[in-house]
Amino acid sequence: MESIENIQTELKKNLSEKRYLHSVGTMKMAKILANKYNVNENIAMLAGLAHDMAKEIPLEQAMEYIKQNKINIDEIEKQNTALLHAKIGAHMSKKYGFTEQMQNAIKYHTTGNPEMDELAKIIYVADKTEETRNYEEIEKIRELAMQNIDEAIIAILDHDIQKNINKKVLIHPDGVLLRNKLLLQLINNNIIF
Ligand SMILES: [Fe+2]
Ligand SMILES: [Fe+2]
C-alpha cells in the first residue's frame, strides 16, 4: 500500500490548496475517530486522505474515465455530477493498493449508503467534521461523532437533505436508505425517542 507521504505529495499536485487542507483535515479526523471506534488507524488515515482525490477532475475527463473503466453511474449522479468524484476516486485509489473496504469507504463518502461499515462511517463523518469545515451545526455534530457515530451520521444526513431540498436538487436515495436504517436501529435500541 502507498504511504501517506507519497499520497500527500500527489494530492498537493492535483488539488487546490483548500481541498488539500480539507483532505489532510479529513485524515486527522479519521485518525481520531478510528481510535475511538476501534478501526485500524493507518487504514482510516489513508482512506481519509485520499477520499477527494478525484474531486477536481474536469467533468469531461471524469466522464471519459467513467466510460473507459465501465463505472456504473445512476440517473442522479448523471444529473448531479458533483457526486461522481466518489465512485471515480474509489476506482482510482486501486493504484495506491487500497483494499475493497477502503474503496467502498471512498465510494460512499458523499451520499452515504446503507452498506457502510465502520471504516466507511468514519470517513463519512471525518469528511463532514474535519477542522477546516464550518457550518452552523458543526460543533453539535463533532460532539455527536465522539459519542455515537450513527447519531452523527443522521445529523449530517438531516443537514444535507435539508440543504438539497432548499436548493431544489435531487436527493440520492442511498442517503435516505442509510438514514432510515440508522434511525430504525436507534429507535429499536431505545437510544432515541
Ligand atoms: Fe467528496
Ligand atoms: Fe471531502
Side-chain angles (χ1 to χ4, degrees):
M1 192 133 21
E2 198 61 82
S3 69
I4 286 174
E5 292 71 27
N6 287 347
I7 296 175
Q8 279 182 324
T9 306
E10 196 180 296
L11 290 180
K12 237 180 212 165
K13 277 187 269 177
N14 295 333
L15 297 177
S16 63
E17 193 188 0
K18 185 171 186 275
R19 184 99 47 212
Y20 176 74
L21 294 175
H22 162 65
S23 302
V24 172
T26 303
M27 172 178 79
K28 288 195 223 166
M29 192 63 188
K31 181 184 178 180
I32 293 168
L33 294 173
N35 286 311
K36 166 83 187 157
Y37 295 105
N38 298 317
V39 166
N40 182 291
E41 178 185 282
N42 196 50
I43 295 290
M45 287 174 76
L46 284 162
L49 178 63
H51 81 284
D52 270 343
M53 66 184 289
K55 182 89 186 200
E56 293 181 5
I57 297 173
L59 183 57
E60 206 175 310
Q61 224 174 297
M63 295 311 291
E64 188 59 29
Y65 189 92
I66 283 163
K67 212 171 104 188
Q68 293 285 329
N69 295 285
K70 301 188 169 63
I71 297 171
N72 279 324
I73 60 167
D74 57 46
E75 277 308 313
I76 296 168
E77 289 162 333
K78 258 182 224 166
Q79 184 67 36
N80 184 358
T81 51
L83 299 174
L84 293 175
H85 76 282
K87 281 185 180 170
I88 296 174
H91 189 277
M92 283 185 150
S93 74
K94 288 186 204 174
K95 72 173 178 181
Y96 295 147
F98 280 17
T99 61
E100 207 175 315
Q101 186 200 18
M102 295 163 84
Q103 291 171 42
N104 282 336
I106 296 176
K107 194 193 282 182
Y108 300 149
H109 87 265
T110 310
T111 58
N113 186 291
E115 301 300 317
M116 276 158 65
D117 66 2
E118 285 301 297
L119 175 69
K121 287 180 181 180
I122 284 171
I123 301 308
Y124 182 85
V125 172
D127 176 34
K128 318 300 182 294
T129 57
E130 58 87 15
E131 61 192 8
T132 75
R133 286 256 197 206
N134 195 8
Y135 49 91
E136 214 178 313
E137 297 96 330
I138 195 158
E139 284 310 327
K140 188 182 162 261
I141 293 174
R142 279 189 185 130
E143 243 171 68
L144 277 178
M146 295 309 290
Q147 291 159 8
N148 183 319
I149 197 149
D150 291 345
E151 285 191 56
I153 293 170
I154 291 169
I156 294 164
L157 286 165
D158 286 352
H159 176 262
D160 277 4
I161 290 168
Q162 194 60 60
K163 210 170 68 184
N164 288 338
I165 288 171
N166 294 342
K167 288 198 291 186
K168 275 227 171 344
V169 298
L170 297 175
I171 294 165
H172 202 287
D174 288 350
V176 177
L177 291 173
L178 172 64
R179 184 176 178 278
N180 284 345
K181 180 183 174 179
L182 298 179
L183 206 47
L184 210 51
Q185 276 172 8
L186 292 178
I187 293 166
N188 289 336
N189 293 323
N190 291 316
I191 293 176
I192 51 173
F193 305 127

